[in-house]
Amino acid sequence: MSCMILTGNAVLTGDFFHFIILIMQKISGRILLALLFLLTQIAITQAQQKPDGRIDDLISQMTIEEKVGQMTQLTLDMVIKGQPYAPESPATIDPAKLEKAIGKYGVGSILNTASGLQLDRNQWHEIIKAIQDKAMEGRLKIPVLYGIDAIHGANYVKGATLYPQPISVGNTFNRELAKELAAITAYEIKAASMPWNFSPAMDVGRNPEWPRLWESFGEDVYVNAELASATVEGYQGTNPAAFDKVAACLKHFTGYGAAHSGKDRTPAYVPERQLREYYLPAFQQAIDAGALTLMINSGEINGVPVHVSRYLLQDILRDELGFEGLAVSDWEDINYLHTRHKVAPTVKDAVRMAVEAGVDMAMVPVDYNFSDNLVELVKEGTIPESRLDVSVRRILEVKMKLGLFEKAVFDPQDYPKFGGKEFTAKSKAAAAESIVLLKNDKNILPLPKTANVLVTGPTAATLRSLNGGWTYTWQGDKADEWGGQYNTITEALTKKLGQGQVQYVQGADFDKVTDMQNAVMAASAVDYIVLCVGESSYTEFMGSLYDLNLPAAQQELAHAMAKTGKPIILVLAEGRPRIMREIEPLASAVVGTFYPGMEGANALADILFGDSNPSGKLCFTYPRHSNSLITYDHKTTEMVLEGNVGKYYDPQYEFGHGMSYTDFKYSDLSIGKNMLTADNAVEISVKVTNTGKRAGKESVLLFINDMYASITPSVRRLRGFKKIELQPGESQTVKFSVSAEDVAFVGMDNKFITESGDFEVMIGDLKGKFVAKMEKP
C-alpha cells in the first residue's frame, strides 16, 4: 500500500500513515489528537530538512519570469506609498505597487525599512502580512523572504533593544555574550516578522581608517572567526525556523575591509596568500557553523569587482569553502558594475556578468532592470535556464529551512520580552564589558561620588556617538530624536551624581570651537573634567576620511582644559581609533567607548564612579601616528630599523590592552609535553589569580610566535582566548589545546601548512616554548 497525507505544505509518508492506522485501533480522543499533532510536526521538520522533492516540483512548474522574480530583491519603498527614498508617512502598502512587485514580477525578496521613517513591530506586522498575503495569491504560493540590517539589535524596529556595535563586542572577547546578543536580535526582528538578518560582518578590520571598522570584530582573524560563528549560532540556533530564530547573512565576501585607501568601496590589492591567511578563515568557520546566506563584497580585489569574480564566488566560495546557501548582492552593486566599476558596457552586460559569476539574488533595489534584462538574456539564449534553476533552488531552500512555507507572519504579541527589562539589562552588561580602560594614572579612577564634575566635548550630549550607523536609520542621524528615552553621557553622569554636581558646557563641536571659554570658566568650580571627544555616527562612504587625526577643534579644547590644572578624564566615543597622541599625555585617565549602544552612557557612568569594574580589551591596535597603521601581528621587519635608529611599530595602545580596577597575576605556565605533531596537540595552561580587592573579569589571551618559517612569520598571533571572572583572592587555571592546524600558515603554494620548528607561547607577562615535529609527506 502506498499512501501520503498532505498537512499544509508538509507531507506525511506511508510509514507514518501505517503507524497511525495501527494505533487508531487502540487509542482515541485527546491522546490521538496529540499524537497526530506530534507526527505532523515531525513531518514538517523532515520537509524542512529534506526539501529537495518539493523544490524540484516547484522549479518544474516555474516560468522563466517566475524564476527571475525569485532572484530579485527590492527595497520596501517599492511597495509602499510614496517614491523611493521618499515614502509617505505613515508607511502603508500601495496596492498598485505591491501588485506590480509581487503579482507581475513575482519578486522573491524585499528588504530594508521605509526610508526616513520609524516603524514599530505592529506596523511591521501589517506591512509584511500584506506582502505575504499577496504572495499567497500567486499560483505557486511561494512566500517572500524579508531581509533587514539588524547590526546591533533590531535597529529598524521602534522600541527594540540596541546593544554594543560589533567592534565593542570584539572588545569583550566573550563568545557566549556574542551569542546571547545575537539571540536577542533574532527574537526582536522575528517579533516584526522578519526572518533574515544581514549580519554578521566578516570584514576583518585591518585598516583603522576604514569607515566600517566598527562593524567588524576588529583586526584579528581568530577573533572575527570565533565571534562571528557565535553570532551565527545566536541568530539561527539549531533550527532557523523556530519562532525566535532567523537566517544569518555573512558579509561581505570577501576582502571588503582591505581597501588600500581606507575609504569605503575603493580598490583592494590582496595577494592570494594574504587573502587565504586573513580574509577567508572567518568565512570558512561561519560557513561550517551553518550560516544559510552570504552577501557579496561591493568592492574590487586586484582590479576585479567581486560581483563578477567567478574565481571568488564559485571556485573558492562554493568549491573550496563548501558554501551551499544563498549569495545576495549588496545594494545596487550589479548596476555599479556599469556605472562605477566600468567593466560592463551596459546594465544588461552587468546582469549577465554577475549571474555568470555566481550571484543568486540581486539587491536591485529600486527598479526592475535586473528582472527585465535577465529574462531577455535567458530567452535569447545567452544565459541557460538551468543557470536560473541553480540560484532558485538555493533561494527556495533557505525559505524552506526558515519554515516560511508553513508560517511567514508572526504575531507581535507572542514576544513578551521585546524591548523589556531583561534585554535592557543584558545590553547594559554588554556595554560595561566592552568599555576599555586605556589609562589610569595613580588610580585616579574610579572617581568619588562626592566629586563635582564638568562634562565637555562634542560627544558628551549626543546618542549618535554612542551608537554609530544602523541606529534607527542608515547613518544613525535620528538617534537623538528617536532615542530620547536613553541617556547621553552628560545625562547619565547627572543622574548618577545629581544635578548640583555636574555641569555641562560643549566647548567644541566635532570640527569647530564653540563656547570653549565658557568651559574654561566652568572648570574653575569643579574637581574633575570629563572630556568627551571622538566621532558622530556614520557608516559606509559617508564615514570615509581624509585625516585619521582627531579634529583640531577637539584637540584645542583638550589643551584649554589642561591649562585649568584640573584632572582630565578623557572619554573616547568613536567607531575607530582617532589619533590623539598630542592630547593623551594631558589626561590622567583614558576610557574607550567604541559605540557601546543605547545603554553605553549608563555603563560608562557606572565605571567612572566605581559601580562597575571595566574588563574590555582592545580588539584592534590604536595607532599613535597616521603614517604608522600597523597591526599587532606585524612582521619583525616592521618593529625597528637597523641599529634601533627609529621606530616603525609604536602604537598608542596595543591590541589586547585594557585595564581593570583590580589586579590579575599570571603564574604557573605549563606547556604539556612541549611537542606538537600532526596528531597530538600541545596542552597549555596558566593560573590566573585576582590579587586585588574587588571582583573582576579578565580576558586571558594566548599568543604564539612561530619563531622561524619559510614565509616570514608574524611576531605573534592570537591563537586562543577565554573570559573568566574571579572574586578577590580567587584563582583559576585556564587551559588551551593547540593543534597543528591552529598554528598553520599559508605557505608558498597558497595552502595552509605547519612546519617543524620552535614556537614561543605568550600569556600575560609569561613566556614558554614548545617544538613542532611534522612528518614530511
Side-chain angles (χ1 to χ4, degrees):
M1 179 179 179
S2 175
C3 182
M4 68 180 181
I5 299 175
L6 298 177
T7 58
N9 286 318
V11 179
L12 273 156
T13 61
D15 290 338
F16 284 115
F17 184 71
H18 293 157
F19 183 55
I20 291 171
I21 292 176
L22 290 174
I23 62 172
M24 282 179 65
Q25 298 172 0
K26 298 184 179 182
I27 62 176
S28 61
R30 292 180 180 178
I31 296 177
L32 179 58
L33 289 174
L35 184 58
L36 284 170
F37 175 78
L38 174 63
L39 294 173
T40 300
Q41 293 302 114
I42 292 173
I44 290 172
T45 300
Q46 287 183 333
Q48 291 167 355
Q49 293 173 343
K50 298 180 179 180
D52 290 352
R54 301 170 68 194
I55 291 175
D56 288 340
D57 182 57
L58 284 171
I59 291 176
S60 68
Q61 298 180 62
M62 295 174 76
T63 65
I64 291 173
E65 287 80 2
E66 287 170 329
K67 292 174 182 179
V68 170
Q70 287 299 305
M71 297 173 66
T72 302
Q73 185 181 62
L74 299 179
T75 188
L76 178 61
D77 289 359
M78 293 292 285
V79 298
I80 60 176
K81 293 180 180 179
Q83 299 300 315
Y85 306 112
E88 296 180 9
S89 179
T92 52
I93 289 290
D94 184 320
K97 292 168 72 175
L98 185 64
E99 169 62 31
K100 182 177 182 179
I102 307 299
K104 179 181 178 180
Y105 277 91
V107 167
S109 181
I110 295 177
L111 83 153
N112 205 15
T113 188
S115 298
L117 302 180
Q118 190 178 33
L119 283 66
D120 63 29
R121 51 182 167 151
N122 293 312
Q123 291 172 295
W124 275 115
H125 177 267
E126 292 176 8
I127 287 173
I128 292 180
K129 184 178 186 302
I131 293 170
Q132 299 294 5
D133 286 349
K134 187 65 182 179
M136 290 304 102
E137 293 177 7
R139 67 186 189 92
L140 297 178
K141 303 187 184 309
I142 299 175
V144 169
L145 178 58
Y146 204 102
I148 200 75
D149 286 285
I151 309 304
H152 67 131
N155 42 258
Y156 284 151
V157 184
K158 184 178 181 179
T161 308
L162 300 191
Y163 52 76
Q165 293 282 8
I167 194 74
S168 272
V169 177
N171 289 340
T172 72
F173 286 89
N174 190 332
R175 298 174 182 84
E176 188 59 31
L177 179 60
K179 177 182 173 181
E180 290 172 352
L181 295 175
I184 291 172
T185 299
Y187 181 97
E188 294 197 335
I189 64 172
K190 203 66 170 285
S193 293
M194 292 180 280
W196 186 17
N197 188 18
F198 302 134
S199 171
M202 313 290 291
D203 308 308
V204 182
R206 296 181 68 79
N207 187 335
E209 298 174 278
W210 190 50
R212 303 189 79 170
L213 174 74
W214 54 268
E215 291 184 57
S216 76
F217 296 109
E219 72 185 41
D220 181 68
V221 180
Y222 180 68
V223 174
N224 274 271
E226 291 291 306
L227 296 186
S229 298
T231 300
V232 169
E233 187 177 352
Y235 289 150
Q236 297 187 176
T238 57
N239 177 19
F243 86 102
D244 59 348
K245 296 301 175 186
V246 300
C249 184
L250 313 179
K251 64 183 190 183
H252 306 80
F253 185 82
T254 180
Y256 182 39
H260 181 70
S261 70
K263 295 176 175 59
D264 187 48
R265 288 175 167 85
T266 55
Y269 303 96
V270 187
E272 181 87 1
R273 187 179 300 115
Q274 277 65 43
L275 180 74
R276 294 179 176 277
E277 182 89 39
Y278 297 105
Y279 297 103
L280 295 183
F283 281 100
Q284 179 70 80
Q285 188 164 322
I287 289 168
D288 292 343
L292 293 178
T293 71
L294 174 147
M295 188 181 294
I296 299 165
N297 174 8
S298 297
E300 62 183 68
I301 296 179
N302 303 330
V304 180
V306 179
H307 279 78
V308 301
S309 175
R310 184 171 177 82
Y311 174 65
L312 290 174
L313 298 184
Q314 181 62 49
D315 297 351
I316 290 183
L317 178 61
R318 303 291 182 180
D319 299 342
E320 290 189 31
L321 303 188
F323 180 65
E324 298 179 349
L326 157 62
V328 62
S329 83
D330 206 339
W331 190 273
E332 207 175 342
D333 276 339
I334 292 179
N335 280 349
Y336 289 153
L337 297 172
H338 169 63
T339 61
R340 284 184 181 175
H341 295 289
K342 304 295 184 180
V343 294
T346 67
V347 172
K348 185 176 179 179
D349 287 313
V351 172
R352 173 186 57 78
M353 295 167 73
V355 172
E356 288 177 344
V359 175
D360 293 317
M361 180 182 286
M363 190 183 291
V364 180
V366 292
D367 59 48
Y368 294 93
N369 289 337
F370 172 83
S371 299
D372 294 339
N373 282 315
L374 185 52
V375 169
E376 283 186 22
L377 287 164
V378 175
K379 288 187 174 181
E380 71 189 22
T382 302
I383 292 179
E385 187 175 353
S386 59
R387 168 63 189 89
L388 304 187
D389 294 347
V390 172
S391 289
V392 172
R393 177 177 298 278
R394 292 167 181 159
I395 294 165
L396 295 179
E397 282 181 350
V398 170
K399 292 182 178 183
M400 288 188 176
K401 288 177 180 178
L402 288 172
L404 297 182
F405 282 85
E406 288 70 47
K407 187 172 184 178
V409 182
F410 296 82
D411 187 345
Q413 304 311 311
D414 290 340
Y415 297 82
K417 294 183 179 181
F418 179 93
K421 293 181 179 179
E422 178 186 341
F423 290 170
T424 299
K426 179 59 68 174
S427 172
K428 182 179 177 183
E433 200 164 324
S434 75
I435 291 173
V436 187
L437 178 58
L438 296 166
K439 179 180 179 180
N440 195 18
D441 284 354
K442 299 180 181 179
N443 292 321
I444 192 172
L445 295 180
L447 300 176
K449 293 181 180 177
T450 56
N452 292 311
V453 175
L454 169 65
V455 186
T456 186
T459 64
T462 174
L463 293 170
R464 295 184 63 177
S465 299
L466 296 173
N467 288 275
W470 306 114
T471 302
Y472 304 144
T473 62
W474 174 43
Q475 293 297 321
D477 55 336
K478 298 282 189 180
D480 291 314
E481 178 182 347
W482 291 349
Q485 70 270 36
Y486 299 101
N487 290 328
T488 65
I489 294 173
T490 299
E491 291 167 341
L493 294 180
T494 300
K495 290 180 179 180
K496 173 71 68 175
L497 299 181
Q499 187 72 40
Q501 291 179 238
V502 177
Q503 295 188 57
Y504 165 68
V505 181
Q506 186 189 47
D509 205 339
F510 292 98
D511 294 304
K512 64 179 180 180
V513 171
T514 55
D515 51 353
M516 188 170 67
Q517 290 306 312
N518 291 338
V520 171
M521 292 175 61
S524 64
V526 302
D527 303 307
Y528 302 93
I529 298 170
V530 177
L531 174 58
C532 304
V533 301
E535 302 182 304
S536 186
S537 62
Y538 58 86
T539 189
E540 301 187 32
F541 59 87
M542 300 290 284
S544 292
L545 290 172
Y546 290 112
D547 187 356
L548 191 58
N549 287 287
L550 190 70
Q554 298 185 51
Q555 298 202 47
E556 185 177 345
L557 176 62
H559 284 287
M561 291 298 98
K563 289 178 181 178
T564 69
K566 300 300 175 70
I568 294 174
I569 312 303
L570 182 63
V571 175
L572 307 173
E574 54 195 15
R576 62 195 148 193
R578 301 302 294 266
I579 293 172
M580 44 84 185
R581 68 179 182 278
E582 298 295 334
I583 66 170
E584 195 269 356
L586 307 178
S588 298
V590 181
V591 182
T593 68
F594 303 98
Y595 291 164
M598 284 297 181
E599 289 295 321
N602 294 333
L604 174 65
D606 284 351
I607 286 173
L608 293 182
F609 290 93
D611 292 327
S612 180
N613 191 358
S615 67
K617 294 190 176 187
L618 291 178
C619 62
F620 56 90
T621 302
Y622 203 116
R624 188 186 303 270
H625 304 276
S626 59
N627 199 34
S628 187
L629 307 180
I630 302 174
T631 56
Y632 87 94
D633 52 352
H634 54 274
K635 303 298 182 76
T636 304
T637 51
E638 295 176 284
M639 291 178 66
V640 294
L641 290 171
E642 192 76 23
N644 207 25
V645 173
K647 292 184 177 180
Y648 286 0
Y649 179 69
D650 182 30
Q652 192 76 56
Y653 304 112
E654 293 208 47
F655 173 94
H657 173 67
M659 304 172 72
S660 171
Y661 292 155
T662 192
D663 296 308
F664 295 100
K665 180 183 178 182
Y666 288 71
S667 63
D668 301 339
L669 176 63
S670 174
I671 310 179
K673 295 181 180 180
N674 296 342
M675 179 64 73
L676 176 69
T677 68
D679 299 321
N680 296 307
V682 168
E683 305 302 324
I684 300 172
S685 66
V686 66
K687 182 179 178 182
V688 184
T689 303
N690 182 347
T691 60
K693 297 181 179 180
R694 60 183 298 169
K697 295 180 180 179
E698 172 74 347
S699 294
V700 182
L701 309 182
L702 168 65
F703 295 97
I704 295 179
N705 171 26
D706 188 349
M707 300 183 72
Y708 296 93
S710 56
I711 299 293
T712 55
S714 298
V715 296
R716 58 177 182 154
R717 293 285 298 273
L718 186 71
R719 301 301 191 185
F721 62 84
K722 292 185 179 180
K723 192 72 172 276
I724 62 174
E725 184 171 10
L726 297 175
Q727 298 299 314
E730 184 181 5
S731 297
Q732 182 175 331
T733 298
V734 179
K735 299 179 180 180
F736 300 94
S737 182
V738 177
S739 68
E741 182 179 353
D742 292 332
V743 294
F745 63 92
V746 177
M748 292 286 191
D749 59 357
N750 290 326
K751 296 179 180 179
F752 274 98
I753 184 175
T754 305
E755 295 177 339
S756 298
D758 295 332
F759 290 80
E760 184 178 40
V761 173
M762 295 161 276
I763 306 180
D765 56 354
L766 304 178
K767 293 184 179 182
K769 290 184 180 181
F770 66 84
V771 176
K773 187 175 182 180
M774 313 305 297
E775 295 290 337
K776 292 185 178 181

